[in-house]
Amino acid sequence: MIALEFLVIVACLLVGTRYGGFGLGLISGAGLLVFAFVFHLAPGKPPVDVLLTIMAVLGCASVLQTAGGLNVMMRFAEKILRRHPQYITILAPITTWCLTVMCGTGHVVYTMFPIIYDIAIKEGVRPERPMAAASVASQMGICASPVSVAVVSLVAILAKSTHPVSLLQLLSIGIPATFCGVIMMALWSLKRGKDLENDPKFQAKLQDPEQKEYIYGESATLLDKVFPKEAYWATWIFFAAIAAVVVLGAFPELRPVFAVAGKTKVLSMNLAIQIMMLTAGALIVLFCKVNTKDIPNGTVFKAGMVAVISIFGVAWMADTFFEAHFELLKGSLAGIVATQPWSYAIVLFVVSKFVNSQAAAIAAMAPLGVSLGVDPLMMIAFISASYGYFILPTYASDLACINFDRSGTTCIGKYILNHSFIIPGLIGVSTGCGVGYLLVKMLIV
């Protein structure tokens, strides 16, 4: 029976990924129906705290984008890249990683792709080198952002464990670990593929005048854009909110204390994040001339709502299965994951590919890890393993990267798995996990 139930989960994940994150969440709901009505499993608990925190962060980030704050950040990033075009392969992934860390979403990378391509092709650099690395780096930054869905989800889940991990502890591991992963894959990318002058496929394209014009076509830039002062105000309000979240996480004594049922209770970090993000969003709306009707049309809002639905369905379905068979799973798996925590990282990595989301993978697997007794410190050490959806080049940012590379060097190979993102992704994630493990052992334990 348990095998059949597990097959239901696998079937929902396989079918759901064909319809994107939104479809995945809905189809997971259908799996929940099968569990309840066919197998008579009591429905688990939907991750309400996680979803509320995600919605608060999403609301603030969406308002920031509508106010023009994201464009301000990306224009600043473009200035850095164009000032040092000879280092584009190193600077491009660092830039997209930083943007994700600041904004909490990897979707900011779309505007950067045409800029990175323009700099690379004019510098004579094979565009695949900086572009593929930049795409992977933009997703790795999610594990290092204090306002990303994945990070706030893990903080919320670990808050209920026997050894809660603070936001500051998580970031003290996630930031250097993922940054080291980005640097390692950027260094590897410096010599990947043939130089353009020695690439026969690329040189053949240049023989066609139309292809040559297409490859070296019109430049993409944000430098000639003029943004209103309100866009800058929105950016600083957002940064102030992030700083407040980090400070409250680092110094719990700054959070208010309440008397509840005769006991004192400190404001939780989940609620602190929600309050700060909602407040920052409100200030941007009030003082930055935001047209609230445009907020739902932004890419950040759309991507965020897809994540909410995906996490809602996947996490609820997974919790139902794991709760129903917890004792059996604990008896067979607890010893393994407790003594060999890397096994948790492998499972997290595989699940993230199924669900195509770091946040959804964490929401589905982290509660199980807590229940099975996985050390929370090991869970943050291996947070980079939540990024495994580069294995197949089906994620939106990877597909966009391929489309923006007019030279055709960033591509999907004949055998599907031999695509431009596979090796940078493996280098980044493995380095991130290794550095995270060492940091936990040296700095925290």
Side-chain angles (χ1 to χ4, degrees):
M1 190 65 70
I2 190 173
L4 290 176
E5 294 165 3
F6 183 73
L7 287 176
V8 170
I9 293 180
V10 173
C12 288
L13 296 179
L14 290 176
V15 175
T17 51
R18 296 180 57 190
Y19 298 95
F22 205 94
L24 176 62
L26 298 178
I27 291 173
S28 296
L32 186 65
L33 181 145
V34 173
F35 283 161
F37 287 86
V38 177
F39 294 104
H40 301 289
L41 302 183
K45 298 177 181 178
V48 176
D49 291 341
V50 173
L51 293 173
L52 291 178
T53 304
I54 292 170
M55 292 172 67
V57 173
L58 170 62
C60 184
S62 300
V63 172
L64 173 71
Q65 182 182 39
T66 306
L70 290 185
N71 288 331
V72 169
M73 296 183 203
M74 286 185 283
R75 186 171 69 172
F76 178 76
E78 182 182 354
K79 287 182 179 179
I80 295 175
L81 293 179
R82 291 195 182 277
R83 194 173 299 160
H84 307 284
Q86 68 274 29
Y87 303 120
I88 185 65
T89 304
I90 297 293
L91 292 179
I94 292 176
T95 299
T96 56
W97 177 86
C98 288
L99 285 171
T100 298
V101 170
M102 290 187 292
C103 302
T105 173
H107 293 286
V108 295
V109 75
Y110 299 133
T111 304
M112 294 304 301
F113 280 145
I115 295 170
I116 294 170
Y117 173 80
D118 184 63
I119 296 172
I121 199 70
K122 289 181 178 177
E123 191 66 20
V125 174
R126 184 181 180 88
E128 178 188 35
R129 294 171 180 173
M131 292 188 72
S135 181
V136 172
S138 70
Q139 300 305 312
M140 290 193 64
I142 290 173
C143 296
S145 172
V147 289
S148 74
V149 175
V151 167
V152 297
S153 297
L154 189 55
V155 170
I157 292 167
L158 295 182
K160 299 179 180 179
S161 69
T162 54
H163 301 288
V165 174
S166 69
L167 176 64
L168 190 62
Q169 283 181 306
L170 197 157
L171 294 178
S172 68
I173 301 302
I175 290 176
T178 56
F179 183 75
C180 287
V182 168
I183 294 298
M184 289 300 294
M185 72 174 177
L187 292 174
W188 176 84
S189 298
L190 284 171
K191 296 296 182 181
R192 77 170 305 182
K194 297 180 179 179
D195 292 335
L196 292 180
E197 61 269 22
N198 299 322
D199 188 336
K201 292 183 179 179
F202 178 78
Q203 292 300 320
K205 290 181 180 180
L206 296 185
Q207 303 308 310
D208 183 343
E210 290 186 3
Q211 280 282 2
K212 184 175 182 179
E213 183 180 358
Y214 173 71
I215 291 172
Y216 291 96
E218 187 177 339
S219 299
T221 181
L222 290 171
L223 298 182
D224 57 356
K225 305 293 183 183
V226 178
F227 302 120
K229 60 182 181 298
E230 289 82 7
Y232 294 90
W233 295 352
T235 303
W236 287 114
I237 291 172
F238 184 70
F239 284 162
I242 293 176
V245 167
V246 173
V247 169
L248 291 174
F251 304 100
E253 60 272 17
L254 296 179
R255 288 181 246 155
V257 178
F258 310 99
V260 180
K263 298 181 180 180
T264 57
K265 186 177 182 180
V266 180
L267 181 71
S268 70
M269 269 311 296
N270 283 344
L271 295 180
I273 294 172
Q274 293 170 23
I275 292 171
M276 290 300 167
M277 289 294 104
L278 291 174
T279 301
L283 291 174
I284 294 173
V285 168
L286 291 173
F287 298 107
C288 300
K289 297 182 180 179
V290 175
N291 185 349
T292 53
K293 293 182 180 179
D294 294 335
I295 295 174
N297 298 323
T299 56
V300 171
F301 182 86
K302 292 178 180 178
M305 286 309 300
V306 168
V308 167
I309 298 299
S310 176
I311 291 171
F312 181 33
V314 170
W316 195 6
M317 177 181 66
D319 187 75
T320 299
F321 175 79
F322 293 133
E323 280 296 316
H325 305 289
F326 175 69
E327 293 302 325
L328 176 61
L329 292 171
K330 184 176 182 179
S332 58
L333 299 177
I336 297 175
V337 296
T339 58
Q340 304 176 48
W342 52 264
S343 60
Y344 165 81
I346 293 176
V347 174
L348 181 64
F349 182 79
V350 173
V351 169
S352 71
K353 175 55 232 166
F354 276 118
V355 300
N356 268 355
S357 167
Q358 296 177 57
I362 287 173
M365 297 309 302
L368 177 64
V370 171
S371 300
L372 293 177
V374 179
D375 186 349
L377 295 178
M378 287 295 102
M379 293 174 69
I380 65 172
F382 295 129
I383 189 174
S384 296
S386 64
Y387 172 43
Y389 43 86
F390 64 85
I391 294 297
L392 293 176
T394 56
Y395 196 68
S397 60
D398 293 339
L399 295 176
C401 183
I402 292 171
N403 291 329
F404 278 116
D405 183 357
R406 299 197 299 269
S407 71
T409 57
T410 307
C411 60
I412 300 174
K414 178 180 179 181
Y415 303 103
I416 308 300
L417 287 176
N418 59 329
H419 53 80
S420 296
F421 313 98
I422 185 74
I423 297 181
L426 290 173
I427 292 174
V429 170
S430 59
T431 301
C433 288
V435 172
Y437 180 80
L438 292 176
L439 288 174
V440 164
K441 288 296 185 181
M442 291 188 300
L443 303 180
I444 298 181
V445 175

